[in-house]
Amino acid sequence: MKFDHQLGWVKGIQFGGYLAALERGYLAQEGLDVNMVAGGPGTDYRTLVSSGRAFVSESNVAGMIDGALRGQPLVAFAAVMQRDPGAIMSPADKPIRSVHDMVGKTLGVPNSVRAQLQPLIRRAGIDPESIRLVPVGSDPSLLASGQVDGYYSWSTTAVPALRKIGFEPHWLHVSDLGVPGYGQVLIARRDTLAQHRDVLVRYTRALVKGWAWVVQNPAEAAEMVVRKYAPPGTDLSEQLAQAEMMRDYIVTGDARTHGLLWIDPQVFEKAVAMGREAGSVPADAHIDVASFVTQDIVKALA
């Protein structure tokens, strides 16, 4: 079967397992012909999948809850990073190690992260007005230049980028503050799950092999991605640093006992509860996690 996987960003080692599955023939072994479509800042991957223009893509826990609220017919069926790499970056010599350390600071965070932080701030007995949260894009140099005191990004991409420009960061995972999450949640339409379950099982099996190879061969994986798939000028040393960091997020938690790409609906349940507390999930909104998260695919890999 031939289909498109819409990537959430430009091709790089953060998608190394998908590219390895393609490059090393794991997809072909499963009878699949997959076109890995590069994304970018304006890529609306959830809409591309929900409209049927892409077969699969990636999202995150907050994105899936938002999709459910919007009525998007999506289902999450696997998760690459068992620990959410999302973190608040800060200067190593002025680290933000807790919510209390955020008081009096300016933090650059996306709106979705703002909704996650606000209940944590209130739980800590802190006046939300004492922490300035400003929207940002994907440029960690805002932190290096001192325009913000803290900056939200994936540690696996921001830390190597900041170190490349000579800035040593400290990073505080939002998961360590109590925000449940995954990184790179694989998504498809619900009717795709119903009609092409076998394809998703075969695809996920190939991806598990691809990610296992990247974890075991980070240097070779980074070289492969830079040589053949990444945009011209992509820095190999930075890609290698990302690959090495990603291992601790991919092979952890449930992945150690259930296998790579495992997904647990309880993570989403906890996030819905936090969303209700924060007000980002309306109190009267009916959200059935079972309707947009399934373990059917990962359990079929055993």
Side-chain angles (χ1 to χ4, degrees):
M1 181 173 174
K2 186 173 184 176
F3 60 84
D4 287 349
H5 179 143
Q6 175 62 60
L7 302 174
W9 198 250
V10 297
K11 292 177 182 177
I13 195 62
Q14 71 188 89
F15 305 119
Y18 311 145
L19 300 173
L22 178 64
E23 181 77 4
R24 298 183 61 78
Y26 303 142
L27 294 172
Q29 290 169 13
E30 297 288 349
L32 302 175
D33 181 3
V34 183
N35 180 28
M36 302 292 177
V37 182
T43 304
D44 187 351
Y45 39 86
R46 286 202 330 253
T47 297
L48 287 170
V49 175
S50 60
S51 67
R53 284 177 285 172
F55 193 75
V56 294
S57 187
E58 312 101 35
S59 186
N60 54 30
V61 174
M64 291 305 293
I65 294 171
D66 181 66
L69 290 170
R70 296 173 184 270
Q72 292 180 321
L74 301 173
V75 61
F77 62 90
V80 174
M81 295 192 195
Q82 298 293 297
R83 184 183 190 189
D84 185 356
I88 302 295
M89 309 286 150
S90 56
D93 57 355
K94 295 180 182 178
I96 295 174
R97 294 193 173 98
S98 68
V99 177
H100 287 279
D101 286 346
M102 299 176 187
V103 174
K105 303 287 197 335
T106 297
L107 307 183
V109 299
N111 288 332
S112 60
V113 176
R114 173 194 292 261
Q116 294 173 333
L117 287 178
Q118 285 176 333
L120 300 175
I121 293 169
R122 286 195 292 269
R123 280 183 194 174
I126 297 170
D127 179 4
E129 296 298 318
S130 67
I131 302 172
R132 185 169 177 239
L133 302 177
V134 298
V136 291
S138 56
D139 182 9
S141 67
L142 291 172
L143 176 64
S145 63
Q147 295 181 59
V148 293
D149 303 300
Y151 174 86
Y152 174 87
S153 184
W154 275 17
S155 59
T156 49
T157 53
V159 171
L162 287 166
R163 284 175 171 166
K164 181 182 176 183
I165 60 175
F167 183 93
E168 182 59 31
H170 175 273
W171 57 102
L172 171 65
H173 292 103
V174 292
S175 61
D176 289 340
L177 297 174
V179 178
Y182 285 119
Q184 284 192 45
V185 172
L186 287 160
I187 63 171
R189 283 175 58 105
R190 277 195 291 271
D191 58 358
T192 298
L193 177 66
Q195 298 167 17
H196 300 288
R197 176 183 179 275
D198 65 315
V199 173
L200 292 180
V201 171
R202 284 186 279 138
Y203 188 47
T204 307
R205 184 184 296 121
L207 295 186
V208 166
K209 292 179 182 177
W211 282 111
W213 182 80
V214 170
V215 165
Q216 293 161 8
N217 305 277
E220 191 176 346
E223 189 278 329
M224 177 268 292
V225 167
V226 171
R227 171 175 47 83
K228 190 166 182 179
Y229 296 102
T234 299
D235 184 87
L236 176 58
S237 63
E238 190 176 340
Q239 292 287 290
L240 175 56
Q242 287 188 31
E244 291 176 335
M245 280 195 74
M246 286 171 65
R247 283 186 296 199
D248 290 338
Y249 295 86
I250 295 170
V251 188
T252 189
D254 287 337
R256 291 189 178 276
T257 52
H258 297 293
L260 299 187
L261 275 65
W262 188 259
I263 194 166
D264 185 349
Q266 288 189 0
V267 173
F268 296 79
E269 295 279 9
K270 292 176 183 176
V272 169
M274 284 198 70
R276 292 196 191 279
E277 183 180 343
S280 58
V281 176
D284 60 349
H286 174 69
I287 295 188
D288 179 14
V289 168
S291 71
F292 64 90
V293 183
T294 181
Q295 289 185 309
D296 180 51
I297 302 301
V298 291
K299 285 184 175 180
L301 302 179

